[in-house]
Amino acid sequence: MSEHVEWSEAEASPPSAPAAVTPADAADAARLVAFGLQPKLQPARDQEYTELLRRYRDDPAFARLADAVATGLGLVVLEVSPRAGMAVTAAEDSVFAVRLGDYARRTAADSGDRFLHGLAHLAVAALAFPRPEDLADDTYIGRVTVNGVDAFVRQACRRLEERAEKLGENTDPATDAPGLEAAWRIWARRSATGATKDARRPAASTTGIVAKALAFLTDSGFLQRTGDDGGGTYRTTARYQLQVRDMAGSAAMAELLELGVVPVTDGTASLLPAEDTEDLELVADAGLPFHS
């Protein structure tokens, strides 16, 4: 009887209260989020960043606090790991959200070409990760070039134009409403390289637009430039893979891949010659990595 009473008393003992969150804990959590907002910073090169990532992994209460700080700032935590650091993306209502207008100003781009810049970003993502398993494999590294992305989009344009002709659709834009012209039609008519007296690549050319997109992604810590071949060669980072995973379900990206322009063999992306296929029409401005 005595043993039973002792056991019941032990069971009835209230659990120890969790340690109260201190201002120092909140500061550390905010510091970790601040590190996550520096996409070029590699955890392995910053001891404090590494320690905070370890604390996030080992201390669930601290992890919840850091997640709450990120949520309060309008950020979505994609992953917290030694390879990616604290990878975050901005929700639509976040002060950190990058909008097409902001992007145009930051890259000195013509805001009237916003669909072309969005299409360039979409094409980079599709060409860098052409298969679902590439996105699922943390060790996969995608590689793209400026000229390769432009060729990819132009091939997609040809497929879409062929489909429009088969369906009897008008492939010419209305003369009084050029703003309604589909992005792929504008791209197909735009010069790939243009011409300048000093042989520079004009910003309004399609390769100029792709170059701006790749430079922006590099500055944002999503890509790393590796050479000058093909107009500029780039490799993906863990952060970019996480970002593309987040947008992989978009209609535009799925339909771009379903055009069959990128063959899937050993994971090395290349271009196929045009051929008759059951193409799907690209949804303008759908699923782009920007907020409207």
Side-chain angles (χ1 to χ4, degrees):
M1 182 69 178
S2 175
E3 290 180 358
H4 176 73
V5 171
E6 291 175 359
W7 178 259
S8 298
E9 290 175 350
E11 282 286 304
S13 299
S16 57
V21 174
T22 67
D25 293 330
D28 285 346
R31 181 68 172 156
L32 178 57
V33 175
F35 279 129
L37 289 169
Q38 303 175 59
K40 284 189 173 182
L41 181 61
Q42 298 181 14
R45 296 185 177 180
D46 190 293
Q47 184 175 357
E48 183 184 7
Y49 196 1
T50 300
E51 289 299 324
L52 289 173
L53 289 172
R54 184 178 295 114
R55 184 178 176 187
Y56 184 99
R57 180 196 64 193
D58 297 338
D59 185 347
F62 178 75
R64 289 193 296 271
L65 181 59
D67 288 345
V69 170
T71 299
L73 292 172
L75 300 171
V76 178
V77 179
L78 300 177
E79 180 177 303
V80 181
S81 66
R83 80 179 187 111
M86 186 167 197
V88 296
T89 188
E92 184 173 356
D93 59 350
S94 173
V95 67
F96 299 104
V98 177
R99 291 171 170 77
L100 277 174
D102 301 330
Y103 172 77
R105 286 190 292 272
R106 289 171 63 176
T107 61
D110 181 357
S111 60
D113 287 344
R114 61 188 183 280
F115 289 121
L116 298 188
H117 290 278
L119 185 55
H121 278 270
L122 183 65
V124 172
L127 197 57
F129 301 102
R131 306 176 302 177
E133 51 264 43
D134 300 332
L135 283 175
D137 183 359
D138 289 346
T139 65
Y140 183 87
I141 296 176
R143 292 176 172 81
V144 296
T145 68
V146 170
N147 294 343
V149 173
D150 181 54
F152 171 55
V153 178
R154 289 185 178 278
Q155 182 73 304
C157 289
R158 285 192 290 271
R159 295 289 179 88
L160 290 166
E161 187 169 10
E162 290 169 3
R163 181 179 184 273
E165 290 175 349
K166 285 181 180 179
L167 296 176
E169 297 177 2
N170 180 15
T171 59
D172 293 322
T175 56
D176 59 345
L180 299 179
E181 185 180 21
W184 65 268
R185 292 170 179 166
I186 304 175
W187 194 289
R189 288 164 171 75
R190 185 69 59 89
S191 170
T193 57
T196 59
K197 294 181 180 179
D198 55 2
R200 290 180 302 167
R201 181 167 48 206
S205 67
T206 54
T207 53
I209 289 171
V210 172
K212 283 183 180 293
L214 294 174
F216 175 82
L217 291 171
T218 301
D219 291 340
S220 301
F222 293 132
L223 299 177
Q224 294 175 347
R225 187 176 176 114
T226 58
D228 298 323
D229 294 340
T233 60
Y234 299 80
R235 56 175 285 175
T236 60
T237 65
R239 279 178 171 266
Y240 190 53
Q241 186 180 48
L242 293 170
Q243 186 81 7
V244 176
R245 280 179 190 171
D246 192 51
M247 63 173 285
S250 72
M253 187 168 180
E255 292 174 38
L256 187 59
L257 288 175
E258 287 177 16
L259 290 176
V261 177
V262 180
V264 175
T265 52
D266 60 354
T268 302
S270 59
L271 296 176
L272 286 174
E275 61 182 6
D276 292 338
T277 59
E278 293 297 325
D279 297 333
L280 295 176
E281 188 170 356
L282 186 64
V283 178
D285 205 31
L288 303 181
F290 298 101
H291 300 293
S292 60

